[in-house]
Amino acid sequence: MVYITTTKNSILYNIFETLKNLECESFMLKISPENIHIQSSDVAKTSILDAIIEKKYFETYKVEETLILDLDIDFINKISKLFNKKTNTLIKFKDNYLYIETIKNDKNDIEKQFRLNVNYNNNFNIIDINKLQINNDFRLQTKTFLDICNDLNVFNDDFTITMTDKNTCFSSNTDCGDIQYYIDYLTNNTNIQVSFKLKYLIKFKLLNLFEHINLKLENDKPLFINLKDSNININYIL
């Protein structure tokens, strides 16, 4: 049995939109009695999005057994655009179909129902992101981080984070010169220097929903971004 209801401003819609922006083709949807787990990577295998939404987040959550599905992100995203910020949503599983339906507020409302053909994927190779051991964890305001990324992206898609015991420098180089933004309160005893593509951060729209982000940085390892509140835990690896 799967019977879940969620509000019209559910973060599920934002996750689906972000997966589409990141050029993911499909995603793993794991519905268990404890939570909903979503994981996917982009076509180029450059980034991984891993989101866990606890049962307490939802208005109603009745799940008796674990279900793992492989879903097309393009189709799901089209559905979510019709629902987003307009109506509460019912998600249920019945007769081997996944149903997504609107919840009517009164008898004059139109009831929308989408019945999805599903692909069971109990052998889905879920990436254990906890195996990525990065000991450094730095917290900063999301707005500060996004402002820096957007500014540097005006000049170049490539950017570098250099962290020392004095400060952290976000920089980008062009043929005409270079740009450097410094944050003095972010320091580390060991020097760290990592480089990434800004486009994968600009497309990660989930950042806008959280006041703070946690950055995990280490030499020769991916960038690890964590967004978290009481019932949501989102990790983005680049």
Side-chain angles (χ1 to χ4, degrees), residues 147-238:
D147 285 348
I148 293 173
C149 290
N150 286 316
D151 284 2
L152 295 181
N153 195 45
V154 172
F155 301 94
N156 200 341
D157 184 40
D158 297 310
F159 86 118
T160 298
I161 302 175
T162 304
M163 183 173 288
T164 68
D165 59 354
K166 295 182 174 61
N167 55 39
T168 294
C169 176
F170 297 81
S171 62
S172 183
N173 299 315
T174 71
D175 293 337
C176 298
D178 49 51
I179 307 95
Q180 289 137 6
Y181 282 36
Y182 291 92
I183 298 179
D184 289 339
Y185 63 81
L186 285 181
T187 62
N188 194 56
N189 292 331
T190 304
N191 289 357
I192 299 173
Q193 187 172 72
V194 290
S195 297
F196 305 99
K197 293 286 186 182
L198 279 167
K199 66 179 180 180
Y200 292 103
L201 293 172
I202 302 299
K203 292 179 179 180
F204 187 51
K205 301 299 184 181
L206 290 171
L207 286 171
N208 297 301
L209 304 179
F210 293 80
E211 185 176 351
H212 292 89
I213 66 173
N214 291 312
L215 290 178
K216 295 184 179 182
L217 299 169
E218 197 167 304
N219 291 318
D220 302 319
K221 288 189 178 180
L223 173 65
F224 197 112
I225 296 176
N226 175 253
L227 307 172
K228 192 173 184 178
D229 69 12
S230 57
N231 293 311
I232 300 170
N233 188 18
I234 298 173
N235 291 295
Y236 183 55
I237 302 172
L238 180 59

Side-chain angles (χ1 to χ4, degrees), residues 39-57:
Q39 188 179 97
S40 185
S41 60
D42 64 294
V43 176
K45 306 297 183 183
T46 304
S47 60
I48 299 171
L49 176 60
D50 186 275
I52 295 178
I53 308 171
E54 301 297 336
K55 60 187 290 186
K56 292 181 180 179
Y57 174 83

Side-chain angles (χ1 to χ4, degrees), residues 67-78:
L67 185 69
I68 302 178
L69 305 175
D70 189 2
L71 300 177
D72 180 84
I73 185 56
D74 185 55
F75 187 66
I76 291 291
N77 193 50
K78 288 176 181 178

